[in-house]
Amino acid sequence: DTAVSQTPKYLVTQMGNDKSIKCEQNLGHDTMYWYKQDSKKFLKIMFSYNNKELIINETVPNRFSPKSPDKAHLNLHINSLELGDSAVYFCASSQDETLYKVRQFFGPGTRLTVL
Amino acid sequence: DQQVKQNSPSLSVQEGRISILNCDYTNSMFDYFLWYKKYPAEGPTFLISISSIKDKNEDGRFTVFLNKSAKHLSLHIVPSQPGDSAVYFCAASATGNQFYFGTGTSLTVIP
């Protein structure tokens, strides 16, 4: 059983298009995240949601909008795609227990290529 | 501003030997550290963690050492096995929720 799943795995699109990446976790976790791994392999957090509420929103362009219909899903919508949006996007989830037990479970990633 | 750095992008080790992966951080407020392992076309998977109240944590062949004064973290794998070949990311947190990741070290274990 896949714990954190993302669709699609690959996404190739033209500049200016609007696209979505879906994420689902079946771990019963309260918190979900979106990370971006750029060409330099730097893995950086974009958003964090806890029980459908936004708790972390890093300096991400407002073309990126996360949507959480329920605590098992956190989808990422990207409007007016730009070349610099090309990256691998990882969804993750965690169960907030105590400070020292927070570890994240990652999805397989979505490789977005903007042409 | 990269708060977590892994300065060695790659490392090759003979099977059976020790692999040592290093990680440095700049934020003295970080108090929880993790190592993740990533295979190609897969997401990172949790490997081992350590809190700042400890200087060592061991789990089987994997040991993480923390030197707070040097702001340095290392992961030791012994003995190294070919299946350990992967990219290893270290991550650090000051809040318990938001993690800062390094850029990863690609480990190749040569049979």
Side-chain angles (χ1 to χ4, degrees):
Chain A
D1 284 344
T2 303
V4 182
S5 60
Q6 294 178 229
T7 52
K9 196 167 177 66
Y10 299 95
L11 183 54
V12 181
T13 188
Q14 299 284 336
M15 275 177 57
N17 284 350
D18 303 337
K19 290 293 178 185
S20 296
I21 306 172
K22 295 185 176 180
C23 178
E24 177 181 2
Q25 55 96 3
N26 61 8
L27 298 166
H29 287 167
D30 291 325
T31 306
M32 295 184 72
Y33 312 79
W34 276 107
Y35 284 85
K36 178 181 179 181
Q37 186 180 32
D38 60 23
S39 57
K40 297 180 181 178
K41 306 302 180 186
F42 188 32
L43 194 63
K44 187 172 180 180
I45 192 166
M46 300 173 69
F47 301 102
S48 171
Y49 265 73
N50 181 271
N51 275 318
K52 301 196 300 173
E53 291 194 13
L54 182 66
I55 56 173
I56 293 174
N57 182 358
E58 288 298 292
T59 50
V60 176
N62 58 13
R63 299 181 295 103
F64 290 79
S65 55
K67 292 205 170 29
S68 182
D70 55 60
K71 76 172 194 176
H73 295 84
L74 182 62
N75 303 324
L76 184 65
H77 300 272
I78 315 171
N79 295 324
S80 302
L81 277 156
E82 300 178 357
L83 293 176
D85 298 333
S86 295
V88 181
Y89 292 84
F90 288 98
C91 177
S93 71
S94 70
Q95 181 64 48
D96 294 334
E97 295 170 348
T98 68
L99 177 66
Y100 299 110
K101 291 185 179 179
V102 177
R103 67 183 198 192
Q104 294 162 357
F105 294 77
F106 284 82
T110 296
R111 182 174 292 277
L112 171 64
T113 303
V114 182
L115 304 174
Chain B
D1 179 24
Q2 203 171 330
Q3 300 190 46
V4 178
K5 297 179 184 179
Q6 294 175 256
N7 293 318
S8 297
S10 63
L11 174 68
S12 290
V13 171
Q14 286 289 134
E15 181 177 4
R17 298 287 186 102
I18 185 171
S19 295
I20 300 177
L21 297 100
N22 294 305
C23 179
D24 296 295
Y25 60 95
T26 57
N27 189 339
S28 58
M29 298 300 291
F30 286 147
D31 58 4
Y32 189 60
F33 306 87
L34 306 91
W35 283 94
Y36 283 84
K37 176 178 178 179
K38 183 182 179 305
Y39 292 117
E42 295 182 12
T45 55
F46 172 78
L47 191 58
I48 192 168
S49 64
I50 188 168
S51 71
S52 58
I53 60 174
K54 294 185 174 182
D55 54 19
K56 176 183 173 181
N57 190 25
E58 193 172 349
D59 183 2
R61 297 185 297 113
F62 302 91
T63 303
V64 56
F65 294 91
L66 176 62
N67 183 333
K68 290 187 289 292
S69 60
K71 295 191 183 71
H72 179 80
L73 191 67
S74 63
L75 174 68
H76 292 213
I77 308 172
V78 56
S80 301
Q81 298 174 354
D84 296 329
S85 296
V87 177
Y88 290 79
F89 290 94
C90 75
S93 169
T95 65
N97 255 340
Q98 182 176 356
F99 286 92
Y100 295 86
F101 283 78
T103 49
T105 296
S106 178
L107 172 66
T108 302
V109 179
I110 304 164

